[in-house]
Amino acid sequence: SQTIHQWPATLVQPVGSPLSLECTVEGTSNPNLYWYRQAAGRGLQLLFYSVGIGQISSEVPQNLSASRPQDRQFILSSKKLLLSDSGFYLCAWSASDNYGYTFGSGTRLTVV
Amino acid sequence: AQSVTQPDIHITVSEGASLELRCNYSYGATPYLFWYVQSPGQGLQLLLKYFSGDTLVQGIKGFEAEFKRSQSSFNLRKPSVHWSDAAEYFCAVGAFPGGYQKVTFGTGTKLQVIP
């Protein structure tokens, strides 16, 4: 069966520090991968999606970037964190022939 | 552009009572509709989805939802709520512009269950 792993679960980082969140999917090939950010009372905002290795699309301009170095690995990064980057980050995957996302358990990022 | 409105930010129901969570969507074509549930500090879990066919869809955990095109609604229902149903519920509408699924989520409804 397919599983999705996301880590770390919680992260507290100072302003101006770098960020790297990792997401991996097991049990499937060539998944579509997504990064969402969830802010209180504002639902989920799609940040990036990827349909293949090295293929990254950004939905909103921001201080973050994403990379997909391997088929089932998706990384969210920042060179210098801002206070406004705080939030709950969710990775998700979908198959091309099955509709609906499967989400990871999320990372709570607090920038101080 | 697709959008989803969940008019109720917070709902409180008694355990054993029935539940209906409202969802209205905006989408130019036949919508792909979803309901997800999120427990505190966790990711989202897919409850059910609708693409076509029977407008009443059954999901996990005893939930169902009814698609009403004339009302642009996709309300979630459960006949008898259990304390473990306390969570946040998200309605979502999906589009498939090519190569990936673009899913837009509502802002969520927090469900509180009282004994």
Side-chain angles (χ1 to χ4, degrees):
Chain A
S1 63
Q2 302 92 356
T3 56
I4 179 169
H5 303 281
Q6 191 178 340
W7 68 91
T10 305
L11 194 59
V12 180
Q13 293 284 96
V15 169
S17 64
L19 173 73
S20 180
L21 304 181
E22 189 162 343
C23 172
T24 60
V25 180
E26 297 178 356
T28 188
S29 297
N30 197 32
N32 294 330
L33 296 171
Y34 311 83
W35 279 111
Y36 277 83
R37 178 168 56 201
Q38 184 177 26
R42 295 175 60 185
L44 285 81
Q45 180 186 36
L46 178 61
L47 302 176
F48 300 95
Y49 66 90
S50 172
V51 299
I53 297 175
Q55 301 179 59
I56 307 295
S57 297
S58 173
E59 283 289 299
V60 293
Q62 59 211 316
N63 185 43
L64 302 169
S65 62
S67 62
R68 184 170 178 175
Q70 300 180 44
D71 181 45
R72 291 169 289 178
Q73 184 184 28
F74 204 24
I75 298 172
L76 183 69
S77 303
S78 174
K79 292 182 179 179
K80 290 186 177 181
L81 284 169
L82 305 172
L83 287 174
S84 58
D85 292 323
S86 293
F88 192 52
Y89 289 83
L90 289 157
C91 180
W93 77 273
S94 68
S96 58
D97 60 349
N98 188 20
Y99 304 126
Y101 291 166
T102 299
F103 282 89
S105 54
T107 296
R108 172 72 61 191
L109 171 65
T110 304
V111 182
V112 297
Chain B
Q2 63 209 59
S3 66
V4 176
T5 301
Q6 292 181 250
D8 303 306
I9 297 174
H10 190 273
I11 282 184
T12 300
V13 300
S14 298
E15 190 170 14
S18 63
L19 171 70
E20 182 168 25
L21 301 182
R22 296 184 291 164
C23 171
N24 292 96
Y25 67 90
S26 174
Y27 186 64
T30 300
Y32 296 81
L33 296 162
F34 310 87
W35 274 100
Y36 287 84
V37 61
Q38 183 181 33
S39 297
Q42 299 298 312
L44 282 73
Q45 180 184 22
L46 181 64
L47 283 176
L48 47 80
K49 56 189 177 184
Y50 170 79
F51 305 127
S52 64
D54 192 348
T55 56
L56 184 64
V57 293
Q58 302 297 320
I60 62 172
K61 305 185 180 186
F63 286 93
E64 66 179 26
E66 185 171 14
F67 170 62
K68 293 185 177 180
R69 184 186 298 275
S70 61
Q71 300 177 20
S72 296
S73 69
F74 188 56
N75 294 349
L76 182 71
R77 301 194 296 245
K78 187 170 185 178
S80 178
V81 170
H82 188 262
W83 64 266
S84 59
D85 294 323
E88 190 159 19
Y89 292 80
F90 292 89
C91 182
V93 60
F96 302 92
Y100 76 104
Q101 301 177 30
K102 181 170 184 176
V103 179
T104 301
F105 290 84
T107 51
T109 298
K110 283 189 178 178
L111 172 65
Q112 181 182 11
V113 181
I114 57 177

